[in-house]
Amino acid sequence: MTASLISTLPGRYYTDAAIFAREQQTVFEAMWICAVRSAELARPGDFRTVRIGRESLLVARGRDGALRAFLNVCRHRGARLCTSESGSVKRSFQCPYHAWTYGLDGKLVAAPNLTNMPDVDRTEYGLAAVHLREWLGYAWVCLADDPPSFADTVTGAVTERLGDPGVVDAYHVEDLALGKRIGYDVRANWKLIVENFMECYHCATIHPELTEVLPEFAEGYAAQYFVGHGAEFGEEVRGFTVDGGEGFGRLSGITPEQDRRYYAVTVRPQVFLNLVPDHVIMHRMFPLAPDRTLVECDWLYSPDVVARGLDISHSVELFHRVNEQDFAACERCQPTMGSRAYAAGGVLVPVEHHIGQFHDWLLKLVPD
Ligand code: FES
Ligand code: FE
């Protein structure tokens, strides 16, 4: 019955440079974006640069222990302040052009010959600060002057999907340790990656290992279809690993109802949160071009598992394969988005109303 099928976004939404530029502005430079794992910047002076929308941001830990984010642009003549992806400085950032120097709190602390310019206000010429919040052990940043409510757009979205804030709280994601990180340079539009993550219609076709562990996925009903639903492990499955073998038991806070289940949450616009009994997998997407997206995927375990150097390869391998299978599917679609066969878009099957909601949300921010 074609009447029940919903159309997707038109093909040009995945290829058009002007639409991509509008998305960067009204989505990625306007909403809360999950940028950096806080524990990566453990000591004062540790920093990381990250691209958000069309800007480069510098996230650094101050001498007071707080994380701060700034636009990575020198206030003197606009040189890129910091070109390394990550590192550590003693107490300040110095611009390589004329040596203006900024403290870890962003204030201008020194500039050659500035004594000859007594009128320069060092606060006024400090680095431009960007809003930063920490949640789930990550620094979330927002480039908007007046950011949207974090409760409405981030924590509330997770609660809405899981039905109860206690579900995510139980994993204590902020206390987990990074076991593995893999960066994927995906040659596909970021929305293809979001849509793919939200559907499970493809699971039976492309995810043999995942459907072994989560048999209900073979039926095509995404874990995100039902509010609060966690997909149950198969009867023979002992852990969320590539062969269904033993994992690391279960994280101390989770309830018996959460055991042997997989929960998936999409936090618009760029985070996928995957919760399983013994670890958490967090994806963050950074769109680089209409047809290119960097996906950083973190596997987080109990600190004890990481400190003891236990072998996590079996659990990492499961979602690494899922990622590679998913991204290959997205890359298969990207080159055809510009085809006349897809000019009006495609269709969603009836179980995918939640993907339709994603399209409605996007179209409100980036109207046709
Ligand atoms: Fe940075 Fe001149 S542009 S010090
Ligand atoms: Fe998939």
Side-chain angles (χ1 to χ4, degrees):
M1 279 222 319
T2 49
S4 59
L5 297 179
I6 306 166
S7 298
T8 66
L9 297 171
R12 67 179 181 286
Y13 265 77
Y14 304 85
T15 58
D16 188 303
I19 290 177
F20 182 76
R22 279 161 62 205
E23 286 172 349
Q24 292 286 50
Q25 217 175 338
T26 59
V27 178
F28 290 89
E29 294 170 21
M31 300 192 66
W32 286 102
I33 302 295
C34 187
V36 176
R37 181 92 187 142
S38 306
E40 273 177 69
L41 310 178
R43 296 174 313 271
D46 289 353
F47 71 87
R48 176 144 179 209
T49 54
V50 56
R51 178 167 155 177
I52 308 289
R54 296 160 300 177
E55 298 281 3
S56 168
L57 266 62
L58 176 59
V59 184
R61 190 167 299 279
R63 298 172 77 178
D64 57 358
L67 281 179
R68 293 183 183 82
F70 309 101
L71 295 181
N72 185 13
V73 177
C74 178
R75 295 296 306 284
H76 172 223
R77 293 273 301 284
R80 176 70 72 227
L81 182 61
C82 189
T83 48
S84 4
E85 195 182 307
S86 62
S88 195
V89 293
K90 252 209 162 69
R91 51 184 63 229
S92 58
F93 295 98
Q94 189 174 65
C95 177
Y97 196 177
H98 316 87
W100 278 32
T101 304
Y102 302 91
L104 298 172
D105 58 1
K107 278 204 194 95
L108 179 64
V109 290
N113 304 324
L114 209 62
T115 40
N116 300 334
M117 300 187 278
D119 293 342
V120 172
D121 178 333
R122 294 178 186 221
T123 310
E124 192 187 332
Y125 286 98
L127 298 174
V130 171
H131 298 279
L132 183 148
R133 291 272 308 253
E134 288 182 77
W135 190 54
L136 301 180
Y138 286 85
W140 301 65
V141 295
C142 182
L143 281 160
D145 293 335
D146 189 13
S149 150
F150 197 82
D152 289 350
T153 58
V154 181
T155 54
V158 175
T159 303
E160 193 182 322
R161 158 69 197 107
L162 294 173
D164 171 3
V167 177
V168 70
D169 292 348
Y171 294 81
H172 294 285
V173 185
E174 63 284 2
D175 296 330
L176 301 183
L178 183 67
K180 179 80 177 172
R181 167 171 295 165
I182 301 179
Y184 301 86
D185 191 347
V186 186
R187 302 295 164 146
N189 185 272
W190 68 278
K191 298 186 296 299
L192 286 176
I193 301 173
V194 174
E195 291 157 0
N196 175 80
F197 184 76
M198 293 178 83
E199 64 143 289
C200 204
Y201 195 37
H202 66 263
C203 289
T205 329
I206 69 171
H207 295 319
E209 301 87 355
L210 185 66
T211 47
E212 271 304 309
V213 174
L214 305 172
E216 69 183 72
F217 274 17
E219 277 144 48
Y221 287 94
Q224 304 193 54
Y225 183 62
F226 311 101
V227 171
H229 179 70
E232 202 167 2
F233 289 8
E235 262 174 46
E236 308 292 309
V237 169
R238 297 207 302 278
F240 196 76
T241 58
V242 71
D243 54 6
E246 210 67 64
F248 302 102
R250 74 182 202 218
L251 295 166
S252 57
I254 68 165
T255 63
E257 296 77 58
Q258 288 168 274
D259 197 8
R260 300 182 57 75
R261 282 182 189 275
Y262 162 85
Y263 297 86
V265 186
T266 306
V267 188
R268 293 171 192 155
Q270 48 84 258
V271 172
F272 310 139
L273 178 62
N274 309 267
L275 308 165
V276 293
D278 63 336
H279 64 286
V280 168
I281 304 154
M282 187 94 168
H283 295 79
R284 285 166 294 132
M285 296 192 304
F286 300 92
L288 302 179
D291 58 355
R292 188 171 169 207
T293 307
L294 182 71
V295 184
E296 210 166 79
C297 184
D298 290 349
W299 281 260
L300 306 163
Y301 296 85
S302 135
D304 182 52
V305 166
V306 176
R308 285 162 60 205
L310 300 181
D311 180 11
I312 57 172
S313 60
H314 281 69
S315 60
V316 170
E317 185 62 19
L318 175 55
F319 228 91
H320 173 55
R321 286 197 197 174
V322 170
N323 285 339
E324 291 202 312
Q325 292 153 352
D326 280 331
F327 301 151
C330 296
E331 289 180 344
R332 174 179 275 264
C333 292
Q334 182 63 39
T336 57
M337 290 293 107
S339 164
R340 67 185 78 178
Y342 207 73
V347 291
L348 296 173
V349 296
V351 293
E352 293 173 334
H353 63 87
H354 58 301
I355 303 179
Q357 287 165 4
F358 168 67
H359 293 153
D360 293 345
W361 169 83
L362 195 273
L363 284 169
K364 248 188 224 138
L365 294 168
V366 188
D368 206 356

